[in-house]
Amino acid sequence: MTFAQVIDFKTGRYSDLDQLMDRWVEQTKGKRTASHSLIGKDRADGSHFVEIIEFPSYEEAMANSNLPETNRIFEEMVALCDGMPTFTDLDVVRNDQLNASTARRFFHEIATGGNLDAIDEVFAADYADHDIMKEQDTVVGSDGIRSDVTRWRSAFDFAFELDRQICEGDDVVTLWTLNGTHTGDFMGIPATGKQVGMTGTTIFRFKNDKIQEGWWHYDAMKLMKQLGAAG
């Protein structure tokens, strides 16, 4: 179970503390078990900070706490704080990655399921699309993705399998596998009834909870070979 530790502290010397954290990161390279860390500053009190550190498990967190470097850094941290920091230990019982969920909604509900009405809920009106199989480097507008989905669904009876998703900031990276049957015209190639499959990666950038920009990279050559169009 994912574990998180919340450290609540006050300091008038945050820049010094920030440098201290940089030293800890450098000194514990290859040894620390923390997977994610963020520090927030209280808008109402500029000396009040909260750090949230995420670990794969409670046991990993304890291993991290027992590092000699962690003990030394903690002593120096206390010296920079106004009073003793407080700690809250949390077992994570729910972890919603909302942008990743929206990305999955595109692959499952819109592309595979054919619910084109959901496009305006998922994509920004000025969505910018970058696709290796298009002549234009960038196509702007959610109507472009609507046209793409319609074109692919008219040519293939397919489904996406999502192999992995990686979230960082406003970006969601999805590694996927597409498998299906060639049932209609595709780029001038009439239906062959052949089974096709390819892998690819899509990067969606989000803004205000909607997909603002997308980059598509996939094995187009493999697909065309399966359709008999490439040697």
Side-chain angles (χ1 to χ4, degrees):
M1 177 183 292
T2 302
F3 175 83
Q5 188 170 71
V6 180
I7 307 174
D8 193 302
F9 60 94
K10 284 193 170 187
T11 181
R13 302 174 60 186
Y14 179 74
S15 60
D16 293 333
L17 192 143
D18 196 41
Q19 293 176 22
L20 182 65
M21 293 299 103
D22 287 341
R23 290 206 305 275
W24 178 81
V25 169
E26 181 62 30
Q27 292 171 8
T28 58
K29 188 178 297 183
K31 295 185 285 185
R32 63 180 179 273
T33 58
S35 57
H36 186 211
S37 174
L38 65 87
I39 297 178
K41 182 171 72 172
D42 190 339
R43 281 179 170 267
D45 182 352
S47 67
H48 179 208
F49 298 85
V50 175
E51 182 175 13
I52 303 173
I53 310 172
E54 183 178 308
F55 300 89
S57 67
Y58 173 78
E59 291 74 21
E60 295 283 1
M62 292 304 98
N64 194 81
S65 295
N66 291 330
L67 291 173
E69 295 86 354
T70 300
N71 290 326
R72 287 198 301 269
I73 289 294
F74 175 70
E75 292 174 359
E76 295 181 52
M77 175 185 177
V78 171
L80 294 173
C81 290
D82 304 331
M84 180 64 70
T86 62
F87 293 79
T88 303
D89 293 341
L90 302 173
D91 287 325
V92 177
V93 296
R94 178 167 176 168
N95 181 10
D96 289 336
Q97 295 181 319
L98 300 180
N99 287 347
S101 178
T102 300
R104 290 193 296 273
R105 188 179 178 194
F106 164 74
F107 287 103
H108 293 315
E109 180 181 342
I110 297 174
T112 301
N115 182 11
L116 301 185
D117 291 337
I119 286 177
D120 291 334
E121 300 173 15
V122 171
F123 290 86
D126 58 346
Y127 165 75
D129 190 74
H130 313 278
D131 189 321
I132 61 171
M133 287 193 73
K134 292 180 180 177
E135 293 184 7
Q136 294 175 267
D137 290 338
T138 303
V139 176
V140 178
S142 58
D143 283 343
I145 201 74
R146 182 177 284 102
S147 175
D148 287 345
V149 171
T150 300
R151 177 168 60 91
W152 280 86
R153 285 180 54 79
S154 66
F156 300 96
D157 179 10
F158 68 87
F160 278 106
E161 180 180 341
L162 306 189
D163 304 313
R164 188 178 181 190
Q165 281 191 311
I166 303 168
C167 304
E168 182 172 336
D170 295 326
D171 294 344
V172 176
V173 181
T174 304
L175 284 69
W176 49 261
T177 300
L178 179 147
N179 290 298
T181 305
H182 183 210
T183 57
D185 183 87
F186 182 73
M187 299 186 70
I189 304 172
T192 62
K194 292 181 177 180
Q195 299 296 305
V196 297
M198 66 175 177
T199 57
T201 301
T202 301
I203 304 171
F204 282 144
R205 177 160 295 162
F206 283 77
K207 183 178 180 181
N208 298 326
D209 300 326
K210 289 190 175 184
I211 301 173
Q212 182 68 51
E213 195 164 8
W215 292 264
W216 295 82
H217 305 275
Y218 48 91
D219 195 347
M221 182 62 71
K222 178 180 179 180
L223 175 65
M224 299 308 288
K225 283 183 177 180
Q226 292 171 358
L227 298 179

